[in-house]
Amino acid sequence: MIRAVIVDDEQKAIDSLSWELKKFNSEITVIKTFSKPEDAIQFLNSNSTDCLFLDINMPTMDGFQFLDKLVNRDFAIVITTAYNEYALKALKHEAIDYLLKPIDSDDLKETITKIKKHNTNSLPISKIEEVLLNFNKNFNQKKITISTDGKLIFLETDNIIYIESDGNYSTFVMQDQQKIVVTKKLKEVNAILPENYFFRIHNSYIINLNKIKEFIKNDGYVVMQTNDKIPVARQRKSDFLDKV
């Protein structure tokens, strides 16, 4: 189902387009309408949609000024106007279609087809990230995906020796002793690691149970394959022994 937002300073135009779109209610639904472009900008900058039907001639700002104020434009843009002189400018602003008022039902049907094609061919970055992060839910995890600093990091779980906390940051120590710092708290990291292989042995450490070299009982620490010594918290010792 396509989620649509309508922005037009005339309420009659909003009502008319909403009524036309109801004819295609199995394919598209209007989630929000705005007669004030400032309110629409605030909504679109903090909420997602699949397409925007945007009027060009508005008194406080025109449609092109409106588009320039959007933080994200990962949705299909359809220009709606009573004038045909804006077609070229609409294309330059990456609009996928241009509808002249009063909007014809057949033209709208073609527009909906274009919206579907656009959304299939250009999956928004946020949705791509969601799909990739859902990869972490795979039962037999061989990789994890971590979102940090505007990028996605793919890590082989078998190459992770342990993870160390540093406040709002976590450092992954890898098999080759490479260290990867991510802007995630240890609690967040722990939530995406496969619990069969990883254990939070201390408030500041998560270890890969398959990478333990030794457990020194008297001193209360484990030696990892990298020869790093990781303390075992007293309150976690019993659970740790059950795991190993």
Side-chain angles (χ1 to χ4, degrees):
M1 177 70 73
I2 300 168
R3 299 166 301 150
V5 171
I6 301 174
V7 179
D8 197 307
D9 65 302
E10 296 182 4
Q11 188 60 47
K12 286 184 178 179
I14 291 175
D15 294 341
S16 176
L17 179 54
S18 297
W19 184 82
E20 287 288 347
L21 287 171
K22 282 182 181 178
K23 297 177 183 179
F24 308 94
N25 60 7
S26 63
E27 300 175 277
I28 190 167
T29 182
V30 177
I31 60 170
K32 206 77 174 175
T33 65
F34 296 94
S35 57
K36 294 181 179 178
E38 296 83 3
D39 294 341
I41 290 169
Q42 186 176 357
F43 175 83
L44 290 169
N45 282 341
S46 56
N47 296 274
S48 63
T49 187
D50 298 315
C51 71
L52 168 67
F53 290 90
L54 176 65
D55 182 33
I56 290 299
N57 298 92
M58 296 184 289
T60 56
M61 71 175 76
D62 68 37
F64 301 118
Q65 292 172 327
F66 176 93
L67 291 174
D68 290 337
K69 292 180 181 294
L70 293 179
V71 175
N72 297 309
R73 285 170 54 180
D74 56 357
F75 45 78
I77 299 166
V78 179
I79 299 300
T80 61
T81 180
Y83 308 93
N84 61 11
E85 65 263 32
Y86 299 110
L88 182 59
K89 197 170 182 180
L91 290 174
K92 288 182 178 179
H93 279 74
E94 299 179 353
I96 68 160
D97 212 351
Y98 184 91
L99 293 173
L100 284 174
K101 299 177 182 177
I103 296 171
D104 180 78
S105 292
D106 290 336
D107 290 341
L108 191 55
K109 184 177 181 180
E110 290 181 12
T111 296
I112 291 172
T113 300
K114 290 179 182 179
I115 293 169
K116 287 179 181 178
K117 186 175 180 180
H118 173 273
N119 290 348
T120 300
N121 293 340
S122 55
L123 194 64
I125 293 298
S126 59
K127 291 186 179 179
I128 293 173
E129 181 172 343
E130 181 182 344
V131 169
L132 289 172
L133 290 177
N134 281 341
F135 179 70
N136 291 328
K137 297 177 181 178
N138 190 327
F139 178 75
N140 184 22
Q141 287 179 302
K142 293 183 178 180
K143 278 188 179 182
I144 60 166
T145 310
I146 296 179
S147 174
T148 182
D149 291 337
K151 60 184 177 182
L152 293 174
I153 299 175
F154 300 88
L155 298 176
E156 298 277 354
T157 54
D158 193 50
N159 289 336
I160 301 170
I161 302 296
Y162 65 92
I163 306 101
E164 181 177 3
S165 170
D166 183 13
N168 291 327
Y169 298 86
S170 295
T171 301
F172 285 74
V173 178
M174 308 301 290
Q175 185 81 48
D176 58 3
Q177 296 194 346
Q178 178 188 7
K179 293 185 178 181
I180 300 171
V181 180
V182 300
T183 51
K184 297 283 184 187
K185 293 182 179 180
L186 202 62
K187 181 180 179 180
E188 297 174 82
V189 172
N190 196 45
I192 63 173
L193 289 167
E195 60 182 20
N196 289 343
Y197 308 112
F198 289 86
F199 181 73
R200 189 165 182 177
I201 202 167
H202 187 278
N203 281 342
S204 299
Y205 294 95
I206 298 170
I207 63 168
N208 186 335
L209 297 170
N210 292 327
K211 303 298 179 180
I212 299 172
K213 187 177 178 181
E214 298 175 334
F215 172 42
I216 311 300
K217 293 182 180 180
N218 294 337
D219 295 329
Y221 64 83
V222 293
V223 180
M224 306 304 291
Q225 288 182 1
T226 51
N227 290 322
D228 292 314
K229 297 177 180 179
I230 309 295
V232 181
R234 288 183 181 179
Q235 66 271 29
R236 300 175 190 265
K237 185 175 180 180
S238 177
D239 290 338
F240 167 63
L241 292 174
D242 289 341
K243 278 279 189 180
V244 297

